[in-house]
Amino acid sequence: MLEDDTFYGEIPGFPGVYANAETLESCRDLLQDVLEGWIILGLRLQHNFPPIEGID
């Protein structure tokens, strides 16, 4: 929770994947949307993805 009483979340190892919202649930939903967009863009641009729990 930030000083302005909003929630902030990010996914370490995924540059630019972060969210800020007024409720925790909204922050989670927005973070999921941002991650999905990040993956779609990465696929289109043929980027390499970081391994997740040993899966490459």
Side-chain angles (χ1 to χ4, degrees):
M1 183 174 272
L2 300 176
E3 291 178 8
D4 64 357
D5 293 328
T6 61
F7 291 87
Y8 173 83
E10 64 182 30
I11 301 178
F14 292 77
V17 178
Y18 60 89
N20 181 260
E22 291 185 13
T23 67
L24 181 57
E25 188 63 31
S26 295
C27 187
R28 286 181 188 150
D29 291 343
L30 183 56
L31 189 59
Q32 182 175 345
D33 290 344
V34 171
L35 177 60
E36 289 172 4
W38 188 88
I39 290 170
I40 291 168
L41 181 61
L43 288 171
R44 286 185 182 164
L45 298 176
Q46 300 179 347
H47 288 173
N48 293 321
F49 293 98
I52 303 171
E53 296 182 3
I55 299 171
D56 189 13

